Amino acid sequence: MPDVLRGARLFTDPTAGALDITVSDGVIVDIAAAGSATTGNVIDLDGLELMPGCIDSHVHPIHDETFATVAQAAVHGGVTTIANQLYPNADESTPDAIARMIRESEGGTADFAAHVRWDRARSTSDIAAAAAAGAVSIKVFLAHPDKSIQSSLGELATALSQAKAAGLLTLVHAELGDVVDELFAAGFGSQGSASEINQWRSPAIEAAAVNAAAVVSRAVESPLYIVHTSCEASMRAGTAARENGTELYVETCPHYLFLDVDQAPPGGQGFVLPPLRPRQDRDFMRSAAVAGSVDTLGSDHCGHGPRSKPVDSIAGAKAGLPGLEAMVPLIIDAAIGPDAWLPRHRAVEMLSSSAARIFGLDGKGSIGVGYDADIIAIDPMATQSLSSGLFHDAAGYTPYEGRSLSGQIEQVFRRGELVVSEGNAQSIGGGRFIRGSRRSSRSGVN
């Protein structure tokens, strides 16, 4: 017997009528006015608002976490699909790495996809193999502490060309790695002060890398996706590249929208790369999100535990912030809170529908007939206070500790199954590997 989710309204249009959403075998089969459905097990959602389950396009299951633990933590934050950053081992083929990710994800609840790192040590045939094994993208680092992983612009050209032939998108960590290395060797950033880090990994260095990557992308006519865009200069570089004909997508992260260098948590707990920027960059990134220039949000979640994130020093700290469970609540508040600045439809686009389209995640990202019933039910009248004690990741802290937010996730459905209710897990495990299909272009995006 199908389930009928009854009485809720859509988050994007709460003034419209309440709905019956009928779900069968995990898929939405009918949407009608509340009370219309005559067959099915009725689940009362009166007074709640529905948005598609979030697709977190940037998750790192590293160090203190596993593919399974992030897939379990994710659903508590309204994330029903995660796109893992998958780093093959040196002696491991790309298909074997994807098979390992699938095995190690057993026990996690969110569905999951794979971004596969490519570097100079790997054959170009690995890129076609990644596509055949179901990856949604490859990832190239223009800056990385491990120089065997850091790619040159020439190597990026090779990767982009091969990815285009394979039907994959290329993700780029955009900083000028050689410049970053020389500045650090000269002492910039070595003391760990916020001002030094913003010189060492400056907005100009990030923007220059975006410009360079876009030139290469345009030359080989292959689409480009810039991860964790942090600042005005980089955002403007991406916008200019689009105007020049580059098919370019922009991701930003919650910490670049809700934190700045003056709001950083102490010591290593505020250390992320690119670094937190001045308030004017945060405000510009918000305006870009509103305007539609930002395509997707990815938490860039890194669950580094306390040993890796000392509060008294940045020296020796691992880079990266936790954000897997905080991202959706922060965006809900940005759309409906007393200081709301983000249109509701943009919240849904950046959290769900754009990522599904860009990465070819068929059946994901929308509440519509034929789509997977990945649905978040939100109480818009509730308030909550973020606390690491309520989260399920391995970090043990959140950079948003104590932040009061409007709206609260009441229930989370993954493919029609209630997996979280009032903060408590109702089902554990069952996450599926989502293979990528060939993407559509950026045309038509607001």
Side-chain angles (χ1 to χ4, degrees):
M1 179 179 293
D3 288 328
V4 178
L5 310 185
R6 173 162 290 169
R9 302 168 188 265
L10 295 180
F11 182 81
T12 50
D13 190 9
T15 61
L19 299 172
D20 276 354
I21 298 178
T22 303
V23 178
S24 181
D25 294 327
V27 175
I28 298 171
V29 295
D30 188 58
I31 300 177
S36 299
T38 57
T39 302
N41 172 45
V42 174
I43 299 171
D44 183 12
L45 301 179
D46 184 47
L48 304 182
E49 297 178 7
L50 307 182
M51 64 192 305
C54 173
I55 300 170
D56 189 338
S57 58
H58 195 152
V59 177
H60 291 275
I62 53 176
H63 297 288
D64 298 311
E65 294 186 310
T66 68
F67 292 110
T69 60
V70 293
Q72 180 55 32
V75 292
H76 288 275
V79 177
T80 53
T81 303
I82 57 176
N84 289 317
Q85 303 287 314
L86 175 60
Y87 297 167
N89 297 321
D91 59 349
E92 187 177 43
S93 71
T94 297
D96 285 348
I98 291 175
R100 171 172 57 83
M101 180 192 70
I102 294 171
R103 290 194 306 272
E104 294 178 1
S105 296
E106 185 176 353
T109 305
D111 290 339
F112 54 96
H115 302 300
V116 179
R117 186 182 71 202
W118 184 86
D119 56 58
R120 66 185 64 178
R122 307 197 72 81
S123 167
T124 55
S125 63
D126 264 13
I127 297 174
V136 298
S137 77
I138 60 168
K139 184 177 183 181
V140 175
F141 284 85
L142 295 183
H144 197 280
D146 184 341
K147 297 308 123 182
S148 68
I149 292 172
Q150 180 172 300
S151 293
S152 68
L153 290 173
E155 288 160 344
L156 174 61
T158 298
L160 281 162
S161 296
Q162 295 298 316
K164 177 186 178 183
L168 292 179
L169 188 58
T170 301
L171 277 55
V172 171
H173 176 120
E175 294 178 288
L176 297 179
D178 291 345
V179 175
V180 165
D181 294 343
E182 290 302 318
L183 288 175
F184 190 75
F188 288 90
S190 59
Q191 300 303 309
S193 71
S195 60
E196 280 188 330
I197 292 172
N198 266 278
Q199 288 178 285
W200 172 40
R201 319 291 284 245
S202 71
I205 288 173
E206 182 183 338
V210 173
N211 277 321
V215 168
V216 177
S217 169
R218 192 159 57 252
V220 300
E221 298 182 333
S222 182
L224 177 68
Y225 181 105
I226 304 296
V227 298
H228 50 51
T229 304
S230 73
C231 58
E232 178 178 355
S234 193
M235 191 71 241
R236 288 191 182 279
T239 301
R242 286 172 179 163
E243 292 172 351
N244 287 332
T246 306
E247 185 182 344
L248 183 145
Y249 304 87
V250 172
E251 169 200 280
T252 195
C253 307
H255 40 277
Y256 302 125
L257 297 176
F258 297 98
L259 298 173
D260 60 55
V261 69
D262 295 322
Q263 290 180 305
Q269 291 193 351
F271 181 45
V272 62
L273 296 175
L276 297 176
R277 302 299 192 186
R279 175 67 63 91
Q280 58 264 34
D281 281 305
R282 187 212 70 174
D283 291 346
F284 189 88
M285 292 307 300
R286 287 186 175 190
S287 68
V290 171
S293 300
V294 173
D295 293 291
T296 62
L297 282 172
S299 66
D300 197 7
H301 173 81
C302 294
H304 299 301
R307 289 176 297 175
S308 300
K309 304 291 281 186
V311 297
D312 56 346
S313 174
I314 290 177
K318 298 287 188 182
L321 301 178
L324 184 60
E325 295 178 67
M327 181 166 68
V328 175
L330 286 165
I331 291 295
I332 291 170
D333 178 75
I336 70 172
D339 299 317
W341 52 269
L342 184 67
R344 288 170 177 251
H345 76 280
R346 287 295 298 138
V348 169
E349 286 172 356
M350 292 192 299
L351 287 173
S352 303
S353 54
S354 290
R357 176 182 54 80
I358 291 168
F359 295 116
L361 303 178
D362 294 340
K364 301 295 186 182
S366 296
I367 296 177
V369 173
Y371 284 85
D372 287 355
D374 297 337
I375 295 173
I376 311 170
I378 300 155
D379 182 351
M381 304 306 295
T383 59
Q384 63 176 312
S385 180
L386 295 185
S387 170
S388 61
L390 300 176
F391 291 167
H392 301 79
D393 61 58
Y397 82 100
T398 172
Y400 311 103
E401 185 72 40
R403 189 171 294 213
S404 180
L405 304 179
S406 295
Q408 182 162 304
I409 297 171
E410 291 295 323
Q411 295 185 326
V412 179
F413 298 85
R414 184 222 53 211
R415 286 181 274 110
E417 181 179 4
L418 179 64
V419 293
V420 175
S421 180
E422 297 180 349
N424 298 310
Q426 304 298 301
S427 177
I428 296 175
R432 294 178 183 171
F433 176 50
I434 307 300
R435 300 174 63 91
S437 62
R438 292 184 69 93
R439 307 162 307 95
S440 62
S441 71
R442 193 177 190 278
S443 59
V445 176
N446 291 337

